[in-house]
Amino acid sequence: MEATATRRGDAMILPRHIAIIMDGNGRWAAARGQPRAAGHKSGLGAVRMTIEECVKHRIEALTLFAFSSENWRRPAEEVSSLMGLFVEALDREVAELHENNVRIRVIGDRTALSVRLQARIAAAEEQTAANTGLQVQVAVSYGGRWDVVQAVQKLAKQCAQGALRPEDITEREVSSALALGVLDDLTLADPDLFIRTGGEKRISNFLLWNLAYTELYFTDKLWPDFDRAEFEAALAYFAARERRFGLVGAQQRVVQGGG
Ligand code: IPE
Ligand code: IPE
Ligand code: MG
């Protein structure tokens, strides 16, 4: 079984890959009598802090849910302010991320995005492509079901072309056809730790396949209020879990080489 957490010296066990549903921006703004867009803008600070923390702890990968397939059905004004914010954030942040050896990729249905945003994304991905530090995936226009559908279509096409036999489709083929699996030169482990802010305890169509054995951490903190202390609390929660992957505890301790 693949080792999914790292132990450095006597330090606590850290997740290799963290996935976050950044929820609660609208409520944060409403509580201050501000428009929802102000909450989204303020959420950018929490994104910056989270990336810094991940870099500091040498976490390998961070996947952030920024906009879901379903979020397209929000009022047009909110959708367009979010799209504007993505462009702005890319323009403002990519240079510094690049300096910090961070690689950025976007997962999701890009064809739904404006040409302008698609171009900014492509430029950011290209500029940071060789970076070997934190691997950041931003899920935009992403849905777990969309992801499964596009993977199935890809595999079906390969079968129709005679490049793949249906009986040769295993979990491995499915995994690598999914959005996190096709990030070309990188073998990205499934998330070890999932964090959702904003108090809801649901997956909201995030990474359905990849979260199969992920440890789940929920906090009532609204995303703009997500701070270093809360991030550390999530890491501590993760470190205290015994991941059994369907085995019994004693077996798992042998697999992980001690307790
Ligand atoms: C999360 O915050 C950001 C997006 C979904 C884009 P919300 O906008 O969902 O904020 P709440 O949940 O309404 O407070
Ligand atoms: C999930 O939040 C999507 C993102 C954070 C991008 P939502 O606010 O859209 O989820 P629901 O509607 O509460 O399930
Ligand atoms: Mg929400």
Side-chain angles (χ1 to χ4, degrees), residues 10-71:
D10 288 334
M12 69 181 182
I13 295 173
L14 287 170
R16 289 173 59 189
H17 182 179
I18 302 177
I20 306 183
I21 296 186
M22 311 183 287
D23 196 23
N25 296 347
R27 280 165 285 165
W28 185 92
R32 287 162 180 73
Q34 293 173 11
R36 293 179 60 85
H40 297 313
K41 206 172 177 121
S42 178
L44 268 183
V47 172
R48 212 172 292 128
M49 178 284 294
T50 302
I51 291 175
E52 278 171 24
E53 282 293 300
C54 287
V55 169
K56 184 179 101 190
H57 286 283
R58 289 186 287 136
I59 305 290
E60 290 172 28
L62 173 69
T63 300
L64 299 169
F65 204 6
F67 191 88
S68 75
S69 312
E70 290 71 30
N71 289 151

Side-chain angles (χ1 to χ4, degrees), residues 133-148:
L134 179 68
Q135 309 287 308
V136 174
Q137 291 64 238
V138 185
V140 179
S141 190
Y142 177 88
R145 288 181 176 175
W146 164 84
D147 198 357
V148 170

Side-chain angles (χ1 to χ4, degrees), residues 4-5 13-15 192-193 215 233-241 243:
T4 49
I13 295 173
L14 287 170
D192 304 296
L193 172 64
E215 299 296 334
L235 291 185
Y237 168 87
F238 176 79
R241 303 269 72 72
R243 304 186 79 190

Side-chain angles (χ1 to χ4, degrees), residues 32-230:
R32 287 162 180 73
Q34 293 173 11
R36 293 179 60 85
H40 297 313
K41 206 172 177 121
S42 178
L44 268 183
V47 172
R48 212 172 292 128
M49 178 284 294
T50 302
I51 291 175
E52 278 171 24
E53 282 293 300
C54 287
V55 169
K56 184 179 101 190
H57 286 283
R58 289 186 287 136
I59 305 290
E60 290 172 28
L62 173 69
T63 300
L64 299 169
F65 204 6
F67 191 88
S68 75
S69 312
E70 290 71 30
N71 289 151
W72 287 113
R73 299 201 290 261
R74 290 190 178 192
E77 189 189 306
E78 180 168 353
V79 170
S80 86
S81 82
L82 276 164
M83 294 299 148
L85 196 60
F86 295 146
V87 172
E88 230 179 86
L90 286 168
D91 284 349
R92 254 209 332 255
E93 308 288 342
V94 172
E96 192 181 332
L97 291 170
H98 183 48
E99 271 171 37
N100 285 302
N101 198 24
V102 173
R103 182 175 188 178
I104 308 177
R105 257 99 49 107
V106 168
I107 57 169
D109 181 9
R110 288 182 198 214
T111 61
L113 306 176
S114 72
V115 173
R116 186 167 77 123
L117 180 52
Q118 287 188 42
R120 295 299 208 292
I121 291 169
E125 289 179 332
E126 201 187 342
Q127 189 183 352
T128 63
N131 292 346
T132 54
L134 179 68
Q135 309 287 308
V136 174
Q137 291 64 238
V138 185
V140 179
S141 190
Y142 177 88
R145 288 181 176 175
W146 164 84
D147 198 357
V148 170
V149 168
Q150 68 79 28
V152 168
Q153 286 185 354
K154 207 179 296 169
L155 295 173
K157 243 177 243 165
Q158 290 173 22
C159 288
Q161 290 162 354
L164 180 68
R165 296 184 309 172
E167 58 271 31
D168 289 336
I169 298 177
T170 65
E171 289 190 11
R172 199 192 157 95
E173 278 65 40
V174 176
S175 278
S176 56
L178 287 163
L180 287 181
V182 293
L183 298 175
D184 41 46
D185 50 322
L186 176 76
T187 34
L188 203 59
D190 282 338
D192 304 296
L193 172 64
F194 161 96
I195 299 171
R196 181 173 188 147
T197 61
E200 310 297 350
K201 294 184 175 63
R202 53 183 175 240
I203 300 295
S204 297
N205 200 17
F206 196 23
L207 303 158
L208 296 178
W209 170 281
N210 307 87
L211 293 177
Y213 268 105
T214 303
E215 299 296 334
L216 308 176
Y217 181 84
F218 297 95
T219 170
D220 288 337
K221 274 234 155 102
L222 304 173
W223 179 250
D225 292 329
F226 187 72
D227 56 12
R228 291 178 205 278
E230 193 63 47

